[in-house]
Amino acid sequence: MKKNDAEYLGDLIGVDVGGTFTDLVRLNQKTGRVRLAKVASTLENQAFGVMQALKDAQTNLCDVALVVHGTTTTTNAVLERKLSRTGLITTAGFRDILELGRRTRPQAYGMKGFFLPIIPRDLRLEVDERMDYAGRILTPLNEIAVRTAGKRLLDVGVESIVIHFLNSYANPEHERRAADILAEFWPNEYITTGHSLLSESREFERGVTAAVNASVQPILKRYIAKLDEELVAGGYAGELLVMNGNGGTVSAKRVVREAAKTVMSGPASGVIAAAYTGRAAGRPNLITYDMGGTSTDVALIRDGEPSVSNELELEYAMPIHVPMVDVRTIGAGGGSIAKVNDAGLLEVGPQSAGADPGPICYGRGGREPTISDANLLLGRLDVSKLKSVSGAVDLDEIRAIFQKKLGDPLNTDAENAAAAVLQIATTRMAGATRMVSVSLGEDPRDFSLFAFGGAGPMHASALARELAIPEVLVPARPGITNALGCIVADLKHDFVRTVNRPLNLIDIDDVIAITTAQRDEGIGLIRQEPVSIEEIRVTHWLDMQFVGQTHILQVPLPADQINREAIQLAFDEAYFARFRVSLSEIRAQVVNVKTTVNGRRPDISLTELIDASGRSKNLAAAQTGTRFVWFNGGWHETRIFDREALPLNAKITGPAVLEQMDTMVLIEPGDQASSDKDGNILITLGDVL
């Protein structure tokens, strides 16, 4: 599978477009040297921000072998409901399935809620057809009705269309025929069939996933086409790969077909970079902690592999059932606003000051106290060292605002109020972290905390201490970790097929046939990509449950011996590992057969992320000064270091602050920090066993 190396000696580009900044990493494969760029995202057209980042990194596109791109285009489109006009054709009697959902409520204990379906009711049309649960035809497809419904939707300005028939996962014949009929007159390629995206039971989830896919297809297509046009005009002749939410990449030529899989692309790329960095550092078990300006993302990495979920709910009644890196998000970032509520209690987030005007310390007119302002007031942050901040603000002004809005209502001074803000933020982030660890049967103490994002390294030690995590790993470039993830991500394709049979009744030959077909399709897709691949890895999984249960458990399928006894043993082990109980007297059921095909790209070195020529010969030379920083209820004189000047063998005892262009690394009193061969900072907490 490895192609001619001569073709791939050009530069590798990883670029991640966020809501505020576009980050870029350019790796020269011949020398290993790295160039970085961070520019403001151009929300009117993200392609312009990408091109500006390429310019800032002094990139000659003629010398670039591969561009890998992570984007928030689809995620933001769904969250902001800025979607293309989409129609739905479904089985007679089921037009309201997208609204009925699972009879849940936006607030579990609330008395009211609001829900807006992704496709309005007047654009959801019914046709006569029906399959039973086994895929047997009960009512033939009314082809005339399909044609009439399609033309009606076209007449009212629908751009993309979904075909979602009952039980199509068991027999997709009617969906395929309906798609063929629509293709005769539909003016574009935006025809989504539910089974082709998700061949799985659960009509509501499959329908919503298909609806999301169709709604974002035109948006993603226009963006990718514009970006490709700009790259070609600049002299780029290689392939454009796009990050998917599963942590893998796919060709831009194919990505629009399954656009829903790009949702959560940005957070996934950060987790992939963390896994790659952790493996290189000898830390395969990580809890990742990405704190930005608006939110914090946490995820779990076991044995060097990110935890993946098939049940992401982007917002209420918006389940997207495609494999995605299991990232949990809370509304706590550097810009999160702190306030005292009507009950006299201090709250932090989820409201955010955003980037404009932003926190008070940005000097752009912000007047609400935020987490970033608390860090500045307590001496932990020097905004003048951050590339993202160009304004100036008086520290006394921030202290006065904290005193008036927080200190006076809480009957304390501004500094203690700021410390309380940070403590509450830490507690909230700890809750999200427990959701990806303790709730899955994992002990956080068995992991290292991987801290990145603009604000993550400032809060990592406090979070680790809250969770009794003994070690924090801060990568060389915390602020561009997502862009690095684009470079190191593999090609990846996921497949699922519902069987829904008790294990004792299932035909093992059918399971083998399904896994074989999924494997062959995945390998075929990867071989079509004009990208250098070191090896192809195939992993099989089963979604299983006890007969009568609702929730499923993902069980690795032993590829070398697919038989009933091996499957039962794997399920028993997975169930015990998750719940610490054995229920051998209850029958197991196989719900879905799943396969992941991974095309591993060549490894890259991380040693050049920080230019070695800028490193000092000793620790003293890397120190830039001291300042007083608030720790544990009081002020401590704290050494300040230029992180990029630290020698590779640096060892630092806290308190200390490491400053770099995209973040600050906080080393608390008594903690020990050291640098490894790749320039990662490893912080050992002094009071955590």
Side-chain angles (χ1 to χ4, degrees), residues 356-368:
D356 188 14
I360 307 169
C361 62
Y362 278 23
R364 300 172 184 167
R367 304 299 296 173
E368 299 296 331

Side-chain angles (χ1 to χ4, degrees), residues 19 53 72 94 108 117 120 145 150 157 160 171 182 237 301 305 362 381 423 450 498 511 516 617 661 670:
T72 57
F94 286 85
S160 55
N171 183 353
L182 293 176
I301 298 172
E305 296 295 332
Y362 278 23
L381 178 64
Q423 180 58 54
F450 187 97
T498 293
V511 175
T516 301
K617 295 181 178 181
M661 72 100 165

Side-chain angles (χ1 to χ4, degrees), residues 386-438:
L386 298 178
K387 185 176 179 180
S388 59
V389 177
S390 57
V393 68
D394 185 76
L395 189 61
D396 290 335
E397 182 182 350
I398 295 178
R399 184 177 290 107
I401 293 175
F402 266 74
Q403 188 63 53
K404 179 181 179 181
K405 295 193 174 186
L406 303 179
D408 290 346
L410 297 172
N411 196 30
T412 189
D413 59 32
E415 284 76 13
N416 277 294
V421 168
L422 299 185
Q423 180 58 54
I424 289 177
T426 298
T427 302
R428 291 191 63 204
M429 291 182 285
T433 307
R434 292 187 180 99
M435 288 297 295
V436 300
S437 56
V438 177

Side-chain angles (χ1 to χ4, degrees), residues 631-650:
F631 295 103
N632 304 320
W635 295 100
H636 296 252
E637 187 173 8
T638 302
R639 292 177 295 167
I640 312 299
F641 295 92
D642 178 356
R643 181 181 179 179
E644 297 185 29
L646 289 176
L648 277 178
N649 61 352

Side-chain angles (χ1 to χ4, degrees), residues 45-48 51 69 73 189-190 217-233 240 242 252-253 255-256:
N45 191 320
Q46 294 181 357
F48 299 147
M51 299 307 296
H69 179 36
T73 297
E189 60 184 306
Y190 310 134
Q217 274 184 319
I219 299 166
L220 183 62
K221 175 72 174 193
R222 286 190 283 269
Y223 168 60
I224 292 295
K226 181 61 179 177
L227 177 58
D228 189 61
E229 178 186 323
E230 294 285 336
L231 291 171
V232 171
L240 174 63
V242 181
K253 297 182 178 67
V255 72
V256 175

Side-chain angles (χ1 to χ4, degrees), residues 507-518 540 557 562-563 593:
D507 189 332
I508 297 298
D509 289 338
D510 285 348
V511 175
I512 294 174
I514 293 170
T515 59
T516 301
Q518 292 174 336
H540 303 296
L557 181 62
I562 301 179
N563 55 65
V593 180

